[in-house]
Amino acid sequence: MYRSHTYLLLGLISVALVACDSYEQDEFVPEVVVESYLVAGEPLPEVRVSVTAPISSRYTFENFGVEGANVIVNLLGEEGGVEESYSFVEESRGVYLPAEESAVVQPLRRYALEVRVPDRNDVVRSQTLVPGHFEMDTVSGDTIVYQSAVQLEARITNSIYPGRKSYYLFTIEAEDTLNYGLTPFYADIIDEDDGMSKSDLVRNSSGITNENDFTRHGDGTLSLKLPWIGIAFYGPNTIIANAIDDNLYDFKRSQMGGSSSPGEMDNLLDHVENGRGVFGSMVRDQLTVFIAEPEE
Amino acid sequence: MGAAQGAHGQAQQQSSISGYVRDAESGETLIMATVVVEGTTIGTAANNSGYYMLTALQPGSYVFIATYIGYQPLRKEIELAPGEEARVDFALLPEGVMLEEVVVSAEADEEEERTRIGTTRMSTRQILQMPAILEADVFRSLQLLPGIKSSSDFSSGLYVRGGGPDQTLIMLDRTTVYNPTHVFGFFSTFNPDALKDVQVYKGGYPARYGGRLGSVIDVYNKDGNRQQMAGRLSIGLLASRASIEGPVGPGSFMLALRRSTMEPLLAALRETEEGIPDKFYFYDLNGKLNIDAGKNDRFSLTFYGGSDRLGIVPAEDLSIQMMYGNRTGSLNWTHIFSNRLFSNFTFTGSRYFSFPKFKFGGTNYDQQNQVFDFSAKADIEYVPNGRHAIEAGVWAGNLILKYSETFDESAEFSSRIASQYASAYVQETWRPTYHWMIQGGVRANAFSEGGFVRLEPRFSIERRQNERLRFQAAYGRYYQFLTLITNEVFSGMDVWLTTADGVPPAWGDQFILGVKTALGKAYRLDAEVYYRTMEDLFELDPNLGNVSGSDYEDLFRFGDGYAYGFELMLEKGIGRLNGFAGYTYGNSRRRFAGYNEGRFYPPKYDRTHEINAVANYDLSRRWRVTAVYSYATGQAYTRALGRTQYEDPFTSNPADEIINGRVNASRLPAYHRLDVGFTNMGRFLGLGDYELQLQVINVYNRRNTWFYTFDFEENPVRRETVSMLPIVPNISFTLTF
């Protein structure tokens, strides 16, 4: 009887082990990284081209920037054909500037990036559709007392993005960090010993909002109160509203989200063929407000 | 005894016997106790109410033996007249209590239900004896069983046979518990002093349960001592417990309170450390009232209330307030129609709530998250004869999930899902001969949110080769209409979501083969192989951006998966040295569209090999030593292969990106740990019996790796290891009176 037990157990173990599949860890392979942010109404921006570095390497962009790349940005027509083609020249290692400075990014137009890197056969490609134009104004005045009853409120005309609602990112940039100090929350969390300094807080970004987060008015405009947490410095601050394209939306949301397991971050979502990175576009408007320190 | 030989022979003049099996000292019913006719193969197991039914017996003289693990078997001679429906209750004495006239020779318990495929149980005594991280814990004890894994030292979450925590149905006194955690997942919510029984269906669970893809943990509170007033006080490093139970009218009651007692420690730490909470405590209260309204009717009212609260001001203009917990209640009526027909009717109510509030830099963020589940269920068991047993039941309820987020005083997201659900099942157990047991059943589920109706067939077959050897096989299909958004290190903000239009229920098939053996009088050796599929898995998209105005189905990502494994468990249930050792070989895989290039990957908690061993040794009447050893393949993690950097136009600093390899394709170093505990027992100042427990967790201070982080302030980037628990001493004192 005990022999039959043994055979049975061995049989069960065998079934389990035979069913084993393999899922091996892959190895590091350098990939081309492209980065460029088109802003509607502004000249074509630089395109940065680099390769990924092994995790154990000392990293500087200069060390991993790609020399001798052939960089082209095409303005596409409605049918997808090339309407205009803009070539780029290498300004420094890995940094490419438009050969002609006169080209201006147009809203609601599609641009295509093509990068050819020496010794690589695959062309790195990406496309972006630039969001539609919008304007921003403030309805809460030019000066606001920090954490007072009157909160910074921005009013915008809605940007258009074909096929979906508009997504926005707000950036708040302190204009005078020499003469004005940090707001209490940031003053307390800043830890110079831990590598965090005031300069890290000069430009703050909100999470992604969409037009459903705004109050919609009868004239079609939208308004949104900006949370106090976005204000890191007293004094003059520039509020920049950015309507972003799909590439930036995916890039930023994957930067902010990802795995819920501790210590793990998923790879960022990108739309780059034969490489990685971001070829994004946005349209933006800005205004300046003065954040006054509340009286004691 | 001649009557017993042909017990299931003729239909006319047949007799039957039924009744409760109880603890002789407390009157507690003993769930799944076994009653057999001595010298025959006729027997049965008590149900979840501790009630057994043996029917179709020929008139005559019988000797019945009732057994239950940890108790002395009890034999009774009964004369059954033609057509008699005898009501015979058994009162078993716990081991260690001597009463010569009823003691029979102890043998390895042949618990019918415990030997069912995919099933295991753990006694509360075992849970209380094990070395514990600060506090005895039910789920942490269950994590030692083959096929049940933990995610880390910091989590009491149960990962059963490749399934996540939401794939296990957790019930307390027949009521669903939606967040069974304390201390944000570090401990489970169940106070071991209040518990009578913990049943674990790791897979292939029977038709009377449903609603989860994987497994069931069915927990029952004590009824309360029917004989005398009794109490228990326990003081530990983390929490203290008090319970009282006793007879009341024609019934009994039980009340058990547990509360954390960390305030003095926190106050002392606040003197020297920053970031220590101003407020942090948890409590739970279990209660049960039983009324025996005649010999055929019993009513019980049970409730549970527990909550965790945290208040902390870690920095200027930054405050965090957390409050989460559960409330459950049930009213149960057990009615015995006859010796052949047993019934149970239950009304249940369950509420889970979580109200985190954050205030940072003048901006408020609040969450309001609640689950309400009110249901009614009815179950009957009909035993027409010794070869057939039929179970059937219905369960219907109203499930309300309310969730809202407020950011900066503006409603960001608000959702209220109210879904009615109903299920019905029927199951027949057929024993054509002593050697064969065939069980078939079907469960029908309806879920109004999305309008889904699904059928779940269940089937199992058992070949009992002899008294010591059983071969088993089972198949079942399972559907799940809920999914859980949780974080393995922080369960205080768990959110449940349901199916809906465009979000179909997850489903899966389970196939199990098993062999159960008894080796001699003391040892049992069980082995099972399982394979299960998981289809239409739906979980919150981890890369959700801004969801305002999004369609419900856009919140999810959809995928599939499978798991297979082999489990071996050797158990020694009696003797000075007792305990168990388990080995698990397991593989679990998931796949989601657009993730990991569409490849299957192991979830983080996947462990290929796992060994757990628990040993208790009675050094003397006053001293016991307990040791627990655990070994497991390192958990899966995603290895960082490369890096790059972006000139992020929205922030002051460049954004670093780690380039990951295949998802969870690497393994952390192997996990292993040894815990040892000593228990001193005796009388305490004539007040009662005491137990002083001195325990050391992680005796050799193994710094098991929890996860890696990367410090981008360093160049090259520095990988840092975050470790799990170091060596932790524990002491507790328990007085039972």
Side-chain angles (χ1 to χ4, degrees):
Chain A
M1 184 178 71
Y2 288 108
R3 182 180 294 177
S4 68
H5 292 192
T6 307
Y7 288 146
L8 186 68
L9 288 176
L10 287 174
L12 293 174
I13 292 169
S14 302
V15 168
L17 294 179
V18 165
C20 179
D21 60 353
S22 66
Y23 177 67
E24 300 298 328
Q25 179 66 66
D26 49 341
E27 298 298 322
F28 172 76
V29 176
E31 294 176 272
V32 176
V33 182
V34 294
E35 184 185 17
S36 188
Y37 307 97
L38 280 60
V39 180
E42 297 184 10
L44 281 173
E46 67 180 27
V47 175
R48 292 158 61 90
V49 183
S50 61
V51 290
T52 55
I55 190 69
S56 56
S57 298
R58 177 179 173 77
Y59 182 88
T60 63
F61 179 79
E62 291 71 27
N63 288 345
F64 289 90
V66 173
E67 290 180 310
N70 179 12
V71 178
I72 297 172
V73 172
N74 294 316
L75 172 63
L76 304 181
E78 286 191 6
E79 302 299 322
V82 177
E83 203 171 281
E84 294 281 349
S85 189
Y86 307 102
S87 58
F88 283 62
V89 294
E90 188 169 356
E91 192 264 345
S92 59
R93 180 169 180 162
V95 179
Y96 296 82
L97 295 177
E100 298 176 30
E101 293 183 358
S102 57
V104 171
V105 176
Q106 300 174 46
L108 294 173
R109 296 300 302 271
R110 188 175 293 277
Y111 289 82
L113 172 71
E114 290 182 8
V115 177
R116 290 173 176 79
V117 172
D119 302 326
R120 287 177 184 257
N121 294 326
D122 297 330
V123 181
V124 180
R125 301 175 195 273
S126 186
Q127 287 192 13
T128 178
L129 175 60
V130 183
H133 178 73
F134 76 98
E135 291 179 351
M136 177 174 65
D137 196 0
T138 176
V139 294
S140 49
D142 297 333
T143 298
I144 294 170
V145 178
Y146 182 69
Q147 289 196 18
S148 65
V150 178
Q151 200 167 337
L152 176 59
E153 185 171 0
R155 191 159 185 156
I156 61 172
T157 58
N158 196 15
S159 171
I160 293 170
Y161 201 85
R164 66 156 167 80
K165 58 201 170 197
S166 297
Y167 293 112
Y168 296 90
L169 264 174
F170 283 85
T171 310
I172 300 174
E173 196 166 328
E175 297 298 329
D176 186 354
T177 58
L178 290 176
N179 295 306
Y180 295 94
L182 287 161
T183 52
F185 172 74
Y186 289 103
D188 198 50
I189 64 167
I190 201 163
D191 185 352
E192 303 281 355
D193 295 337
D194 201 29
M196 192 176 184
S197 65
K198 284 171 71 173
S199 62
D200 296 328
L201 300 169
V202 171
R203 192 188 300 154
N204 271 345
S205 174
S206 72
I208 297 169
T209 60
N210 76 50
E211 56 190 73
N212 292 89
D213 297 316
F214 290 69
T215 303
R216 194 176 293 271
H217 301 283
D219 60 358
T221 60
L222 309 171
S223 63
L224 180 75
K225 288 182 176 173
L226 297 178
W228 293 116
I229 186 65
I231 310 292
F233 284 89
Y234 295 117
N237 281 267
T238 298
I239 315 298
I240 306 166
N242 308 276
I244 56 176
D245 74 330
D246 282 341
N247 297 355
L248 273 173
Y249 175 66
D250 285 343
F251 187 73
K252 293 304 289 185
R253 72 186 172 110
S254 56
Q255 222 174 30
M256 296 166 179
S259 168
S260 62
S261 291
E264 290 197 1
M265 288 185 294
D266 290 330
N267 287 335
L268 300 182
L269 297 175
D270 66 33
H271 298 270
V272 177
E273 189 182 332
N274 299 321
R276 60 175 59 241
V278 56
F279 178 59
S281 65
M282 66 192 106
V283 57
R284 63 191 182 192
D285 194 12
Q286 65 184 54
L287 53 84
T288 301
V289 295
F290 187 88
I291 306 297
E293 194 168 352
E295 293 180 7
E296 291 294 328
Chain B
M1 295 305 300
Q5 300 303 321
H8 293 307
Q10 303 297 314
Q12 71 272 22
Q13 302 292 316
Q14 286 180 339
S15 307
S16 63
I17 178 173
S18 66
Y20 286 102
V21 183
R22 301 177 186 277
D23 178 312
E25 290 190 325
S26 67
E28 286 282 347
T29 54
L30 300 176
I31 296 173
M32 302 303 163
T34 301
V35 179
V36 298
V37 180
E38 189 179 57
T40 74
T41 58
I42 301 165
T44 190
N47 61 20
N48 286 347
S49 297
Y51 193 80
Y52 74 95
M53 292 181 281
L54 268 172
T55 61
L57 300 170
Q58 290 299 312
S61 180
Y62 291 88
V63 175
F64 296 97
I65 301 176
T67 58
Y68 190 73
I69 193 164
Y71 286 78
Q72 299 167 18
L74 175 61
R75 88 197 261 279
K76 284 190 175 183
E77 286 188 36
I78 306 292
E79 181 76 29
L80 291 176
E84 182 179 357
E85 294 190 347
R87 175 67 177 270
V88 178
D89 292 348
F90 287 85
L92 308 189
L93 277 165
E95 283 172 354
V97 179
M98 301 301 291
L99 199 58
E100 292 299 330
E101 59 271 27
V102 296
V103 174
V104 297
S105 59
E107 293 191 8
D109 299 273
E110 187 65 13
E111 281 187 276
E112 189 73 15
E113 193 67 20
R114 194 183 59 152
T115 55
R116 289 280 170 83
I117 193 162
T119 304
T120 189
R121 293 175 61 223
M122 184 169 274
S123 69
T124 51
R125 185 181 61 170
Q126 210 164 18
I127 293 165
L128 289 165
Q129 282 179 3
M130 282 184 201
I133 302 169
L134 301 177
E135 174 76 3
D137 188 81
V138 176
F139 282 11
R140 284 180 178 274
S141 302
L142 295 181
Q143 288 170 348
L144 297 169
L145 295 171
I148 303 180
K149 303 174 194 302
S150 65
S151 65
S152 74
D153 284 352
F154 304 104
S155 172
S156 63
L158 300 179
Y159 298 82
V160 185
R161 288 187 172 175
D166 66 349
Q167 292 186 10
T168 297
L169 175 67
I170 294 165
M171 306 190 80
L172 175 62
D173 279 326
R174 301 181 173 87
T175 308
T176 307
V177 181
Y178 285 91
N179 187 329
T181 71
H182 276 311
V183 195
F184 313 107
F186 202 92
F187 299 105
S188 64
T189 201
F190 301 110
N191 178 351
D193 285 348
L195 301 186
K196 172 162 67 175
D197 193 85
V198 180
Q199 296 175 43
V200 182
Y201 299 87
K202 292 187 289 187
Y205 61 79
R208 70 171 174 269
Y209 299 103
R212 297 294 186 276
L213 280 189
S215 47
V216 177
I217 308 290
D218 203 3
V219 179
Y220 288 88
N221 270 333
K222 287 178 181 172
D223 294 334
N225 197 316
R226 283 178 162 80
Q227 315 292 345
Q228 59 184 344
M229 293 294 290
R232 187 177 173 92
L233 285 171
S234 182
I235 299 169
L237 287 181
L238 175 73
S240 294
R241 309 189 298 263
S243 62
I244 187 165
E245 55 188 307
V248 55
S252 62
F253 79 99
M254 181 279 296
L255 202 59
L257 173 66
R258 175 169 63 164
R259 191 191 187 283
S260 60
T261 47
M262 293 178 291
E263 280 86 347
L265 175 65
L266 295 177
L269 288 172
R270 274 195 296 273
E271 297 293 320
T272 56
E273 303 287 334
E274 291 183 355
I276 304 300
D278 299 309
K279 177 175 69 179
F280 178 48
Y281 67 88
F282 71 84
Y283 72 89
D284 52 53
L285 179 66
N286 285 273
K288 198 166 188 177
L289 175 66
N290 294 284
I291 302 295
D292 298 334
K295 70 173 190 174
N296 290 329
D297 292 283
R298 285 184 58 202
F299 295 90
S300 68
L301 180 65
T302 180
F303 67 89
Y304 165 85
S307 185
D308 287 56
R309 299 185 187 212
L310 169 72
I312 183 170
V313 183
E316 176 83 20
D317 211 6
L318 172 63
S319 68
I320 301 168
Q321 301 287 328
M322 301 286 305
M323 181 174 78
Y324 83 101
N326 295 273
R327 304 278 186 270
T328 69
S330 65
L331 176 63
N332 191 71
W333 171 37
T334 298
H335 178 67
I336 300 162
F337 286 97
S338 71
N339 272 24
R340 288 176 169 77
L341 185 58
F342 178 92
S343 66
N344 206 83
F345 304 91
T346 311
F347 293 97
T348 75
S350 180
R351 176 185 174 227
Y352 156 62
F353 57 90
S354 169
F355 304 126
K357 293 177 187 291
F358 302 87
K359 184 174 183 182
F360 43 102
T363 304
N364 293 314
Y365 172 76
D366 298 352
Q367 254 186 29
Q368 300 274 320
N369 175 19
Q370 296 191 80
V371 175
F372 298 91
D373 184 358
F374 298 99
S375 73
K377 58 174 77 172
D379 301 275
I380 60 167
E381 297 170 44
Y382 178 59
V383 185
N385 54 53
R387 289 189 174 141
H388 296 275
I390 298 166
E391 293 176 64
V394 294
W395 186 7
N398 189 33
L399 178 67
I400 299 171
L401 311 176
K402 293 171 70 176
Y403 180 78
S404 65
E405 289 181 26
T406 305
F407 180 72
D408 200 28
E409 314 303 336
S410 298
E412 281 278 298
F413 182 80
S414 183
S415 160
R416 183 183 187 277
I417 299 171
S419 185
Q420 291 72 50
Y421 61 90
S423 58
Y425 72 91
V426 60
Q427 174 177 289
E428 150 119 45
T429 305
W430 178 39
R431 298 175 190 276
T433 68
Y434 164 76
H435 294 291
W436 290 100
M437 189 277 287
I438 299 166
Q439 190 175 74
V442 64
R443 184 180 184 91
N445 300 285
F447 200 79
S448 70
E449 196 67 22
F452 299 106
V453 177
R454 296 290 186 270
L455 279 179
E456 301 175 339
R458 313 279 171 85
F459 179 79
S460 68
I461 186 167
E462 178 178 292
R463 163 76 185 179
R464 190 188 301 192
Q465 196 67 20
N466 53 49
E467 286 183 356
R468 300 189 172 277
L469 178 62
R470 299 173 187 223
F471 301 103
Q472 300 166 322
Y475 161 76
R477 172 162 291 188
Y478 302 87
Y479 284 90
Q480 183 163 329
F481 300 85
L482 301 172
T483 190
L484 178 66
I485 308 167
T486 188
N487 183 307
E488 68 173 70
V489 293
F490 192 83
S491 67
M493 294 167 66
D494 282 4
V495 177
W496 286 91
L497 294 170
T498 72
T499 58
D501 287 333
V503 186
W507 62 278
D509 291 323
Q510 295 191 23
F511 305 87
I512 310 171
L513 294 173
V515 56
K516 306 286 169 68
T517 64
L519 306 173
K521 289 186 174 182
Y523 292 92
R524 299 180 52 83
L525 180 64
D526 299 343
E528 287 192 5
V529 175
Y530 65 89
Y531 174 77
R532 53 179 293 215
T533 62
M534 292 166 255
E535 308 292 340
D536 293 337
L537 293 171
F538 59 105
E539 63 178 43
L540 199 72
D541 184 342
N543 289 319
L544 268 184
N546 184 293
V547 298
S548 296
S550 299
D551 292 333
Y552 184 71
E553 67 242 46
D554 293 337
L555 302 180
F556 299 97
R557 65 176 181 180
F558 299 89
D560 58 357
Y562 63 88
Y564 57 84
F566 167 76
E567 296 163 7
L568 193 64
M569 181 151 168
L570 176 66
E571 185 174 8
K572 183 172 186 286
I574 57 176
R576 285 180 74 180
L577 175 65
N578 59 74
F580 64 86
Y583 166 74
T584 307
Y585 171 82
N587 269 294
S588 180
R589 295 290 184 269
R590 296 285 189 282
R591 179 174 62 180
F592 289 93
Y595 186 63
N596 196 33
E597 298 176 352
R599 278 189 295 258
F600 280 106
Y601 65 92
K604 188 176 178 185
Y605 48 82
D606 179 76
R607 307 280 180 93
T608 312
H609 303 282
E610 187 164 27
I611 296 170
N612 291 299
V614 177
N616 300 297
Y617 184 69
D618 293 324
L619 296 168
S620 67
R621 290 175 66 90
R622 293 176 59 87
W623 283 96
R624 179 193 310 124
V625 60
T626 303
V628 178
Y629 177 74
S630 300
Y631 170 89
T633 305
Q635 67 187 15
Y637 82 100
T638 304
R639 182 184 292 174
L641 303 178
R643 64 173 297 190
T644 188
Q645 198 174 71
Y646 298 98
E647 290 292 313
D648 190 328
F650 306 108
T651 60
S652 300
N653 297 316
D656 294 295
E657 184 194 2
I658 288 176
I659 313 298
N660 292 306
R662 289 179 178 165
V663 173
N664 289 345
S666 288
R667 295 281 168 175
L668 295 176
Y671 175 98
H672 51 92
R673 196 179 93 192
L674 175 67
D675 305 337
V676 175
F678 293 89
T679 304
N680 177 244
M681 297 157 284
R683 291 289 294 173
F684 184 75
L685 303 175
L687 297 173
D689 297 326
Y690 76 87
E691 278 195 3
L692 176 65
Q693 289 185 311
L694 307 166
Q695 301 171 338
V696 182
I697 306 302
N698 196 2
V699 169
Y700 52 85
N701 198 28
R702 161 81 175 176
R703 301 315 308 272
N704 289 299
T705 301
W706 187 15
F707 60 86
Y708 297 124
T709 62
F710 293 90
D711 182 358
F712 281 95
E713 296 297 323
E714 301 291 329
N715 199 355
V717 63
R718 190 172 68 203
R719 190 180 79 173
E720 295 174 346
T721 300
V722 178
S723 299
M724 290 197 249
L725 285 175
I727 186 169
V728 179
N730 188 31
I731 183 169
S732 68
F733 179 82
T734 301
L735 182 66
T736 306
F737 53 89

